[in-house]
PDB file of all heavy atoms in Angstrom:
ATOM      1  N   THR A   1      17.935   7.160 -22.320  1.00 96.00           N
ATOM      2  CA  THR A   1      17.959   8.619 -22.587  1.00 96.00           C
ATOM      3  C   THR A   1      17.494   9.349 -21.341  1.00 96.00           C
ATOM      4  O   THR A   1      16.805   8.761 -20.464  1.00 96.00           O
ATOM      5  CB  THR A   1      17.000   8.927 -23.735  1.00 96.00           C
ATOM      6  OG1 THR A   1      15.645   8.679 -23.321  1.00 96.00           O
ATOM      7  CG2 THR A   1      17.339   8.155 -24.979  1.00 96.00           C
ATOM      8  N   PRO A   2      17.899  10.620 -21.193  1.00 96.00           N
ATOM      9  CA  PRO A   2      17.476  11.333 -20.002  1.00 96.00           C
ATOM     10  C   PRO A   2      15.952  11.394 -19.869  1.00 96.00           C
ATOM     11  O   PRO A   2      15.402  11.341 -18.735  1.00 96.00           O
ATOM     12  CB  PRO A   2      18.023  12.723 -20.242  1.00 96.00           C
ATOM     13  CG  PRO A   2      19.264  12.504 -21.077  1.00 96.00           C
ATOM     14  CD  PRO A   2      18.889  11.345 -21.965  1.00 96.00           C
ATOM     15  N   GLY A   3      15.220  11.441 -20.956  1.00 97.00           N
ATOM     16  CA  GLY A   3      13.760  11.460 -20.892  1.00 97.00           C
ATOM     17  C   GLY A   3      13.202  10.162 -20.353  1.00 97.00           C
ATOM     18  O   GLY A   3      12.316  10.199 -19.498  1.00 97.00           O
ATOM     19  N   ASP A   4      13.733   9.042 -20.847  1.00 97.00           N
ATOM     20  CA  ASP A   4      13.236   7.731 -20.339  1.00 97.00           C
ATOM     21  C   ASP A   4      13.621   7.545 -18.877  1.00 97.00           C
ATOM     22  O   ASP A   4      12.845   7.021 -18.084  1.00 97.00           O
ATOM     23  CB  ASP A   4      13.830   6.601 -21.165  1.00 97.00           C
ATOM     24  CG  ASP A   4      13.213   6.537 -22.547  1.00 97.00           C
ATOM     25  OD1 ASP A   4      12.118   7.159 -22.759  1.00 97.00           O
ATOM     26  OD2 ASP A   4      13.814   5.917 -23.430  1.00 97.00           O
ATOM     27  N   ALA A   5      14.838   7.969 -18.518  1.00 97.00           N
ATOM     28  CA  ALA A   5      15.277   7.859 -17.126  1.00 97.00           C
ATOM     29  C   ALA A   5      14.437   8.711 -16.208  1.00 97.00           C
ATOM     30  O   ALA A   5      14.081   8.304 -15.102  1.00 97.00           O
ATOM     31  CB  ALA A   5      16.726   8.254 -17.004  1.00 97.00           C
ATOM     32  N   ALA A   6      14.002   9.888 -16.682  1.00 97.00           N
ATOM     33  CA  ALA A   6      13.162  10.773 -15.878  1.00 97.00           C
ATOM     34  C   ALA A   6      11.801  10.123 -15.625  1.00 97.00           C
ATOM     35  O   ALA A   6      11.267  10.224 -14.512  1.00 97.00           O
ATOM     36  CB  ALA A   6      12.942  12.108 -16.615  1.00 97.00           C
ATOM     37  N   GLY A   7      11.277   9.385 -16.607  1.00 97.00           N
ATOM     38  CA  GLY A   7      10.034   8.670 -16.399  1.00 97.00           C
ATOM     39  C   GLY A   7      10.144   7.585 -15.349  1.00 97.00           C
ATOM     40  O   GLY A   7       9.229   7.422 -14.500  1.00 97.00           O
ATOM     41  N   ILE A   8      11.285   6.914 -15.254  1.00 97.00           N
ATOM     42  CA  ILE A   8      11.519   5.874 -14.265  1.00 97.00           C
ATOM     43  C   ILE A   8      11.652   6.499 -12.883  1.00 97.00           C
ATOM     44  O   ILE A   8      11.106   5.997 -11.872  1.00 97.00           O
ATOM     45  CB  ILE A   8      12.747   5.029 -14.627  1.00 97.00           C
ATOM     46  CG1 ILE A   8      12.413   4.138 -15.796  1.00 97.00           C
ATOM     47  CG2 ILE A   8      13.236   4.214 -13.449  1.00 97.00           C
ATOM     48  CD1 ILE A   8      13.587   3.362 -16.336  1.00 97.00           C
ATOM     49  N   VAL A   9      12.390   7.601 -12.780  1.00 98.00           N
ATOM     50  CA  VAL A   9      12.547   8.267 -11.506  1.00 98.00           C
ATOM     51  C   VAL A   9      11.202   8.774 -10.978  1.00 98.00           C
ATOM     52  O   VAL A   9      10.873   8.626  -9.804  1.00 98.00           O
ATOM     53  CB  VAL A   9      13.549   9.433 -11.616  1.00 98.00           C
ATOM     54  CG1 VAL A   9      13.594  10.214 -10.331  1.00 98.00           C
ATOM     55  CG2 VAL A   9      14.951   8.880 -11.949  1.00 98.00           C
ATOM     56  N   ASP A  10      10.415   9.332 -11.872  1.00 98.00           N
ATOM     57  CA  ASP A  10       9.087   9.815 -11.460  1.00 98.00           C
ATOM     58  C   ASP A  10       8.210   8.656 -10.969  1.00 98.00           C
ATOM     59  O   ASP A  10       7.490   8.800  -9.956  1.00 98.00           O
ATOM     60  CB  ASP A  10       8.373  10.532 -12.604  1.00 98.00           C
ATOM     61  CG  ASP A  10       9.030  11.857 -12.964  1.00 98.00           C
ATOM     62  OD1 ASP A  10       9.791  12.382 -12.126  1.00 98.00           O
ATOM     63  OD2 ASP A  10       8.770  12.362 -14.089  1.00 98.00           O
ATOM     64  N   ALA A  11       8.319   7.525 -11.637  1.00 98.00           N
ATOM     65  CA  ALA A  11       7.544   6.355 -11.202  1.00 98.00           C
ATOM     66  C   ALA A  11       8.031   5.873  -9.812  1.00 98.00           C
ATOM     67  O   ALA A  11       7.209   5.429  -8.970  1.00 98.00           O
ATOM     68  CB  ALA A  11       7.668   5.244 -12.213  1.00 98.00           C
ATOM     69  N   ALA A  12       9.351   5.924  -9.569  1.00 97.00           N
ATOM     70  CA  ALA A  12       9.872   5.515  -8.267  1.00 97.00           C
ATOM     71  C   ALA A  12       9.383   6.474  -7.168  1.00 97.00           C
ATOM     72  O   ALA A  12       9.015   6.011  -6.071  1.00 97.00           O
ATOM     73  CB  ALA A  12      11.404   5.510  -8.312  1.00 97.00           C
ATOM     74  N   ILE A  13       9.349   7.750  -7.422  1.00 98.00           N
ATOM     75  CA  ILE A  13       8.826   8.713  -6.453  1.00 98.00           C
ATOM     76  C   ILE A  13       7.360   8.467  -6.174  1.00 98.00           C
ATOM     77  O   ILE A  13       6.909   8.405  -5.023  1.00 98.00           O
ATOM     78  CB  ILE A  13       9.037  10.144  -6.973  1.00 98.00           C
ATOM     79  CG1 ILE A  13      10.528  10.470  -7.088  1.00 98.00           C
ATOM     80  CG2 ILE A  13       8.372  11.138  -6.037  1.00 98.00           C
ATOM     81  CD1 ILE A  13      10.837  11.749  -7.846  1.00 98.00           C
ATOM     82  N   ASP A  14       6.608   8.244  -7.246  1.00 98.00           N
ATOM     83  CA  ASP A  14       5.176   7.972  -7.096  1.00 98.00           C
ATOM     84  C   ASP A  14       4.904   6.674  -6.334  1.00 98.00           C
ATOM     85  O   ASP A  14       3.904   6.584  -5.575  1.00 98.00           O
ATOM     86  CB  ASP A  14       4.484   7.887  -8.450  1.00 98.00           C
ATOM     87  CG  ASP A  14       4.475   9.237  -9.204  1.00 98.00           C
ATOM     88  OD1 ASP A  14       4.757  10.272  -8.573  1.00 98.00           O
ATOM     89  OD2 ASP A  14       4.233   9.233 -10.416  1.00 98.00           O
ATOM     90  N   ARG A  15       5.795   5.708  -6.464  1.00 97.00           N
ATOM     91  CA  ARG A  15       5.641   4.437  -5.775  1.00 97.00           C
ATOM     92  C   ARG A  15       5.807   4.614  -4.280  1.00 97.00           C
ATOM     93  O   ARG A  15       5.085   4.008  -3.478  1.00 97.00           O
ATOM     94  CB  ARG A  15       6.588   3.377  -6.308  1.00 97.00           C
ATOM     95  CG  ARG A  15       6.331   2.020  -5.732  1.00 97.00           C
ATOM     96  CD  ARG A  15       6.424   0.948  -6.785  1.00 97.00           C
ATOM     97  NE  ARG A  15       5.472   1.156  -7.878  1.00 97.00           N
ATOM     98  CZ  ARG A  15       5.544   0.480  -9.045  1.00 97.00           C
ATOM     99  NH1 ARG A  15       6.473  -0.449  -9.230  1.00 97.00           N
ATOM    100  NH2 ARG A  15       4.661   0.714  -9.966  1.00 97.00           N
ATOM    101  N   TRP A  16       6.774   5.443  -3.851  1.00 97.00           N
ATOM    102  CA  TRP A  16       6.904   5.742  -2.415  1.00 97.00           C
ATOM    103  C   TRP A  16       5.607   6.368  -1.902  1.00 97.00           C
ATOM    104  O   TRP A  16       5.146   6.013  -0.799  1.00 97.00           O
ATOM    105  CB  TRP A  16       8.054   6.727  -2.176  1.00 97.00           C
ATOM    106  CG  TRP A  16       9.404   6.108  -2.084  1.00 97.00           C
ATOM    107  CD1 TRP A  16      10.431   6.302  -2.940  1.00 97.00           C
ATOM    108  CD2 TRP A  16       9.914   5.266  -1.044  1.00 97.00           C
ATOM    109  NE1 TRP A  16      11.533   5.603  -2.525  1.00 97.00           N
ATOM    110  CE2 TRP A  16      11.239   4.947  -1.360  1.00 97.00           C
ATOM    111  CE3 TRP A  16       9.345   4.711   0.125  1.00 97.00           C
ATOM    112  CZ2 TRP A  16      12.047   4.155  -0.575  1.00 97.00           C
ATOM    113  CZ3 TRP A  16      10.126   3.913   0.927  1.00 97.00           C
ATOM    114  CH2 TRP A  16      11.454   3.644   0.560  1.00 97.00           C
ATOM    115  N   VAL A  17       5.012   7.283  -2.650  1.00 97.00           N
ATOM    116  CA  VAL A  17       3.780   7.926  -2.231  1.00 97.00           C
ATOM    117  C   VAL A  17       2.656   6.886  -2.112  1.00 97.00           C
ATOM    118  O   VAL A  17       1.880   6.869  -1.147  1.00 97.00           O
ATOM    119  CB  VAL A  17       3.388   9.039  -3.207  1.00 97.00           C
ATOM    120  CG1 VAL A  17       2.034   9.639  -2.846  1.00 97.00           C
ATOM    121  CG2 VAL A  17       4.457  10.151  -3.201  1.00 97.00           C
ATOM    122  N   TRP A  18       2.587   5.996  -3.099  1.00 97.00           N
ATOM    123  CA  TRP A  18       1.535   4.963  -3.116  1.00 97.00           C
ATOM    124  C   TRP A  18       1.643   4.080  -1.898  1.00 97.00           C
ATOM    125  O   TRP A  18       0.638   3.825  -1.183  1.00 97.00           O
ATOM    126  CB  TRP A  18       1.654   4.154  -4.392  1.00 97.00           C
ATOM    127  CG  TRP A  18       0.535   3.188  -4.651  1.00 97.00           C
ATOM    128  CD1 TRP A  18      -0.674   3.481  -5.218  1.00 97.00           C
ATOM    129  CD2 TRP A  18       0.486   1.786  -4.349  1.00 97.00           C
ATOM    130  NE1 TRP A  18      -1.477   2.360  -5.296  1.00 97.00           N
ATOM    131  CE2 TRP A  18      -0.767   1.310  -4.774  1.00 97.00           C
ATOM    132  CE3 TRP A  18       1.394   0.916  -3.795  1.00 97.00           C
ATOM    133  CZ2 TRP A  18      -1.130  -0.031  -4.626  1.00 97.00           C
ATOM    134  CZ3 TRP A  18       1.058  -0.423  -3.622  1.00 97.00           C
ATOM    135  CH2 TRP A  18      -0.215  -0.883  -4.058  1.00 97.00           C
ATOM    136  N   TYR A  19       2.842   3.615  -1.601  1.00 97.00           N
ATOM    137  CA  TYR A  19       3.007   2.740  -0.409  1.00 97.00           C
ATOM    138  C   TYR A  19       2.786   3.517   0.893  1.00 97.00           C
ATOM    139  O   TYR A  19       2.291   2.948   1.878  1.00 97.00           O
ATOM    140  CB  TYR A  19       4.393   2.082  -0.409  1.00 97.00           C
ATOM    141  CG  TYR A  19       4.426   0.847  -1.255  1.00 97.00           C
ATOM    142  CD1 TYR A  19       5.198   0.786  -2.394  1.00 97.00           C
ATOM    143  CD2 TYR A  19       3.717  -0.316  -0.883  1.00 97.00           C
ATOM    144  CE1 TYR A  19       5.233  -0.394  -3.180  1.00 97.00           C
ATOM    145  CE2 TYR A  19       3.735  -1.448  -1.654  1.00 97.00           C
ATOM    146  CZ  TYR A  19       4.510  -1.490  -2.803  1.00 97.00           C
ATOM    147  OH  TYR A  19       4.534  -2.649  -3.552  1.00 97.00           O
ATOM    148  N   SER A  20       3.148   4.797   0.917  1.00 97.00           N
ATOM    149  CA  SER A  20       2.899   5.585   2.145  1.00 97.00           C
ATOM    150  C   SER A  20       1.431   5.624   2.486  1.00 97.00           C
ATOM    151  O   SER A  20       1.064   5.639   3.666  1.00 97.00           O
ATOM    152  CB  SER A  20       3.471   6.991   2.000  1.00 97.00           C
ATOM    153  OG  SER A  20       2.684   7.775   1.129  1.00 97.00           O
ATOM    154  N   GLY A  21       0.573   5.633   1.460  1.00 96.00           N
ATOM    155  CA  GLY A  21      -0.857   5.672   1.686  1.00 96.00           C
ATOM    156  C   GLY A  21      -1.387   4.371   2.251  1.00 96.00           C
ATOM    157  O   GLY A  21      -2.473   4.378   2.848  1.00 96.00           O
ATOM    158  N   TRP A  22      -0.679   3.248   2.055  1.00 96.00           N
ATOM    159  CA  TRP A  22      -1.149   1.955   2.544  1.00 96.00           C
ATOM    160  C   TRP A  22      -0.802   1.712   4.030  1.00 96.00           C
ATOM    161  O   TRP A  22      -1.269   0.751   4.632  1.00 96.00           O
ATOM    162  CB  TRP A  22      -0.604   0.821   1.696  1.00 96.00           C
ATOM    163  CG  TRP A  22      -1.436   0.549   0.480  1.00 96.00           C
ATOM    164  CD1 TRP A  22      -1.203   0.915  -0.776  1.00 96.00           C
ATOM    165  CD2 TRP A  22      -2.688  -0.144   0.470  1.00 96.00           C
ATOM    166  NE1 TRP A  22      -2.196   0.480  -1.626  1.00 96.00           N
ATOM    167  CE2 TRP A  22      -3.143  -0.161  -0.882  1.00 96.00           C
ATOM    168  CE3 TRP A  22      -3.462  -0.725   1.469  1.00 96.00           C
ATOM    169  CZ2 TRP A  22      -4.326  -0.755  -1.236  1.00 96.00           C
ATOM    170  CZ3 TRP A  22      -4.676  -1.356   1.092  1.00 96.00           C
ATOM    171  CH2 TRP A  22      -5.108  -1.348  -0.246  1.00 96.00           C
ATOM    172  N   SER A  23       0.026   2.538   4.595  1.00 95.00           N
ATOM    173  CA  SER A  23       0.542   2.282   5.929  1.00 95.00           C
ATOM    174  C   SER A  23      -0.523   2.055   6.937  1.00 95.00           C
ATOM    175  O   SER A  23      -0.471   1.156   7.821  1.00 95.00           O
ATOM    176  CB  SER A  23       1.515   3.375   6.367  1.00 95.00           C
ATOM    177  OG  SER A  23       0.786   4.622   6.477  1.00 95.00           O
ATOM    178  N   ASP A  24      -1.592   2.906   6.933  1.00 93.00           N
ATOM    179  CA  ASP A  24      -2.650   2.796   7.929  1.00 93.00           C
ATOM    180  C   ASP A  24      -3.929   2.197   7.363  1.00 93.00           C
ATOM    181  O   ASP A  24      -5.002   2.292   7.933  1.00 93.00           O
ATOM    182  CB  ASP A  24      -2.969   4.178   8.547  1.00 93.00           C
ATOM    183  CG  ASP A  24      -3.355   5.217   7.486  1.00 93.00           C
ATOM    184  OD1 ASP A  24      -3.338   4.907   6.302  1.00 93.00           O
ATOM    185  OD2 ASP A  24      -3.665   6.373   7.912  1.00 93.00           O
ATOM    186  N   LYS A  25      -3.793   1.521   6.209  1.00 94.00           N
ATOM    187  CA  LYS A  25      -4.955   0.835   5.594  1.00 94.00           C
ATOM    188  C   LYS A  25      -4.854  -0.636   5.446  1.00 94.00           C
ATOM    189  O   LYS A  25      -5.839  -1.342   5.356  1.00 94.00           O
ATOM    190  CB  LYS A  25      -5.238   1.513   4.222  1.00 94.00           C
ATOM    191  CG  LYS A  25      -5.508   2.996   4.281  1.00 94.00           C
ATOM    192  CD  LYS A  25      -5.632   3.613   2.907  1.00 94.00           C
ATOM    193  CE  LYS A  25      -5.819   5.120   3.008  1.00 94.00           C
ATOM    194  NZ  LYS A  25      -4.637   5.822   3.564  1.00 94.00           N
ATOM    195  N   ILE A  26      -3.582  -1.132   5.411  1.00 93.00           N
ATOM    196  CA  ILE A  26      -3.437  -2.591   5.171  1.00 93.00           C
ATOM    197  C   ILE A  26      -4.049  -3.417   6.257  1.00 93.00           C
ATOM    198  O   ILE A  26      -4.633  -4.463   6.002  1.00 93.00           O
ATOM    199  CB  ILE A  26      -1.909  -2.908   5.014  1.00 93.00           C
ATOM    200  CG1 ILE A  26      -1.720  -4.296   4.485  1.00 93.00           C
ATOM    201  CG2 ILE A  26      -1.140  -2.664   6.297  1.00 93.00           C
ATOM    202  CD1 ILE A  26      -2.105  -4.459   3.042  1.00 93.00           C
ATOM    203  N   ALA A  27      -4.054  -2.931   7.516  1.00 89.00           N
ATOM    204  CA  ALA A  27      -4.635  -3.702   8.579  1.00 89.00           C
ATOM    205  C   ALA A  27      -6.142  -3.749   8.491  1.00 89.00           C
ATOM    206  O   ALA A  27      -6.806  -4.699   8.880  1.00 89.00           O
ATOM    207  CB  ALA A  27      -4.252  -3.121   9.953  1.00 89.00           C
ATOM    208  N   GLN A  28      -6.734  -2.682   7.914  1.00 88.00           N
ATOM    209  CA  GLN A  28      -8.183  -2.649   7.731  1.00 88.00           C
ATOM    210  C   GLN A  28      -8.626  -3.602   6.629  1.00 88.00           C
ATOM    211  O   GLN A  28      -9.661  -4.227   6.710  1.00 88.00           O
ATOM    212  CB  GLN A  28      -8.644  -1.220   7.403  1.00 88.00           C
ATOM    213  CG  GLN A  28      -8.299  -0.205   8.483  1.00 88.00           C
ATOM    214  CD  GLN A  28      -8.605   1.191   8.022  1.00 88.00           C
ATOM    215  OE1 GLN A  28      -9.727   1.476   7.620  1.00 88.00           O
ATOM    216  NE2 GLN A  28      -7.617   2.088   8.096  1.00 88.00           N
ATOM    217  N   VAL A  29      -7.798  -3.695   5.587  1.00 89.00           N
ATOM    218  CA  VAL A  29      -8.136  -4.537   4.429  1.00 89.00           C
ATOM    219  C   VAL A  29      -7.883  -6.002   4.737  1.00 89.00           C
ATOM    220  O   VAL A  29      -8.627  -6.889   4.340  1.00 89.00           O
ATOM    221  CB  VAL A  29      -7.327  -4.086   3.200  1.00 89.00           C
ATOM    222  CG1 VAL A  29      -7.542  -5.048   2.016  1.00 89.00           C
ATOM    223  CG2 VAL A  29      -7.714  -2.667   2.781  1.00 89.00           C
ATOM    224  N   HIS A  30      -6.771  -6.319   5.450  1.00 86.00           N
ATOM    225  CA  HIS A  30      -6.418  -7.700   5.730  1.00 86.00           C
ATOM    226  C   HIS A  30      -6.419  -8.035   7.189  1.00 86.00           C
ATOM    227  O   HIS A  30      -5.633  -8.840   7.677  1.00 86.00           O
ATOM    228  CB  HIS A  30      -5.052  -7.999   5.082  1.00 86.00           C
ATOM    229  CG  HIS A  30      -5.152  -8.138   3.598  1.00 86.00           C
ATOM    230  ND1 HIS A  30      -5.511  -9.283   2.950  1.00 86.00           N
ATOM    231  CD2 HIS A  30      -4.993  -7.222   2.615  1.00 86.00           C
ATOM    232  CE1 HIS A  30      -5.536  -9.103   1.650  1.00 86.00           C
ATOM    233  NE2 HIS A  30      -5.231  -7.830   1.421  1.00 86.00           N
ATOM    234  N   GLY A  31      -7.314  -7.445   7.931  1.00 85.00           N
ATOM    235  CA  GLY A  31      -7.507  -7.799   9.309  1.00 85.00           C
ATOM    236  C   GLY A  31      -8.959  -7.480   9.673  1.00 85.00           C
ATOM    237  O   GLY A  31      -9.744  -7.036   8.855  1.00 85.00           O
ATOM    238  N   GLY A  32      -9.340  -7.768  10.917  1.00 80.00           N
ATOM    239  CA  GLY A  32     -10.711  -7.461  11.329  1.00 80.00           C
ATOM    240  C   GLY A  32     -11.276  -8.538  12.212  1.00 80.00           C
ATOM    241  O   GLY A  32     -10.588  -9.471  12.652  1.00 80.00           O
ATOM    242  N   ALA A  33     -12.583  -8.413  12.512  1.00 81.00           N
ATOM    243  CA  ALA A  33     -13.275  -9.356  13.375  1.00 81.00           C
ATOM    244  C   ALA A  33     -13.704 -10.609  12.591  1.00 81.00           C
ATOM    245  O   ALA A  33     -14.160 -10.475  11.446  1.00 81.00           O
ATOM    246  CB  ALA A  33     -14.450  -8.692  13.995  1.00 81.00           C
ATOM    247  N   ASN A  34     -13.564 -11.771  13.192  1.00 81.00           N
ATOM    248  CA  ASN A  34     -13.926 -13.032  12.519  1.00 81.00           C
ATOM    249  C   ASN A  34     -15.192 -13.572  13.190  1.00 81.00           C
ATOM    250  O   ASN A  34     -15.316 -13.536  14.441  1.00 81.00           O
ATOM    251  CB  ASN A  34     -12.798 -14.037  12.640  1.00 81.00           C
ATOM    252  CG  ASN A  34     -11.468 -13.529  12.119  1.00 81.00           C
ATOM    253  OD1 ASN A  34     -11.402 -13.018  11.022  1.00 81.00           O
ATOM    254  ND2 ASN A  34     -10.442 -13.637  12.941  1.00 81.00           N
ATOM    255  N   PRO A  35     -16.122 -14.112  12.392  1.00 84.00           N
ATOM    256  CA  PRO A  35     -17.304 -14.716  12.992  1.00 84.00           C
ATOM    257  C   PRO A  35     -16.987 -16.047  13.661  1.00 84.00           C
ATOM    258  O   PRO A  35     -16.365 -16.910  13.052  1.00 84.00           O
ATOM    259  CB  PRO A  35     -18.245 -14.917  11.792  1.00 84.00           C
ATOM    260  CG  PRO A  35     -17.312 -15.025  10.629  1.00 84.00           C
ATOM    261  CD  PRO A  35     -16.133 -14.133  10.944  1.00 84.00           C
ATOM    262  N   VAL A  36     -17.334 -16.201  14.929  1.00 85.00           N
ATOM    263  CA  VAL A  36     -17.098 -17.461  15.647  1.00 85.00           C
ATOM    264  C   VAL A  36     -18.379 -17.883  16.385  1.00 85.00           C
ATOM    265  O   VAL A  36     -19.224 -17.057  16.691  1.00 85.00           O
ATOM    266  CB  VAL A  36     -15.940 -17.298  16.644  1.00 85.00           C
ATOM    267  CG1 VAL A  36     -14.630 -17.061  15.939  1.00 85.00           C
ATOM    268  CG2 VAL A  36     -16.221 -16.165  17.646  1.00 85.00           C
ATOM    269  N   ALA A  37     -18.457 -19.190  16.656  1.00 83.00           N
ATOM    270  CA  ALA A  37     -19.604 -19.720  17.395  1.00 83.00           C
ATOM    271  C   ALA A  37     -19.275 -19.750  18.876  1.00 83.00           C
ATOM    272  O   ALA A  37     -18.628 -20.652  19.375  1.00 83.00           O
ATOM    273  CB  ALA A  37     -19.923 -21.122  16.880  1.00 83.00           C
ATOM    274  N   GLY A  38     -19.709 -18.731  19.565  1.00 83.00           N
ATOM    275  CA  GLY A  38     -19.423 -18.694  21.005  1.00 83.00           C
ATOM    276  C   GLY A  38     -19.344 -17.266  21.480  1.00 83.00           C
ATOM    277  O   GLY A  38     -19.322 -16.340  20.684  1.00 83.00           O
ATOM    278  N   PRO A  39     -19.337 -17.046  22.767  1.00 84.00           N
ATOM    279  CA  PRO A  39     -19.331 -15.682  23.340  1.00 84.00           C
ATOM    280  C   PRO A  39     -17.938 -15.087  23.349  1.00 84.00           C
ATOM    281  O   PRO A  39     -17.343 -14.845  24.415  1.00 84.00           O
ATOM    282  CB  PRO A  39     -19.862 -15.916  24.748  1.00 84.00           C
ATOM    283  CG  PRO A  39     -19.366 -17.276  25.105  1.00 84.00           C
ATOM    284  CD  PRO A  39     -19.424 -18.107  23.815  1.00 84.00           C
ATOM    285  N   TYR A  40     -17.358 -14.934  22.190  1.00 83.00           N
ATOM    286  CA  TYR A  40     -16.005 -14.413  22.085  1.00 83.00           C
ATOM    287  C   TYR A  40     -15.909 -13.327  20.970  1.00 83.00           C
ATOM    288  O   TYR A  40     -16.628 -13.355  19.997  1.00 83.00           O
ATOM    289  CB  TYR A  40     -15.007 -15.497  21.721  1.00 83.00           C
ATOM    290  CG  TYR A  40     -15.050 -16.701  22.631  1.00 83.00           C
ATOM    291  CD1 TYR A  40     -15.724 -17.866  22.259  1.00 83.00           C
ATOM    292  CD2 TYR A  40     -14.421 -16.678  23.846  1.00 83.00           C
ATOM    293  CE1 TYR A  40     -15.797 -18.965  23.084  1.00 83.00           C
ATOM    294  CE2 TYR A  40     -14.453 -17.789  24.692  1.00 83.00           C
ATOM    295  CZ  TYR A  40     -15.118 -18.909  24.328  1.00 83.00           C
ATOM    296  OH  TYR A  40     -15.164 -19.994  25.147  1.00 83.00           O
TER     297      TYR A  40
END
C-alpha cells in the first residue's frame, strides 16, 4: 500500500543519514593506538 511503501522509503532515507554519521567515526571506534612492549 502507499502507506507501507512510504514507511520503507522513509527508513531508506534515514539509513543514508545514519551511515553518513559514521563516516568520520568508524576509524575512532575500530582503530587507535595499541599497547606494545618497546619504544614504539
Side-chain angles (χ1 to χ4, degrees):
T1 66
D4 289 342
I8 288 176
V9 173
D10 290 344
I13 295 169
D14 293 346
R15 187 138 301 169
W16 276 113
V17 174
W18 189 82
Y19 276 113
S20 73
W22 274 104
S23 64
D24 58 357
K25 300 175 183 65
I26 191 71
Q28 300 173 54
V29 174
H30 286 275
N34 306 309
V36 293
Y40 306 100

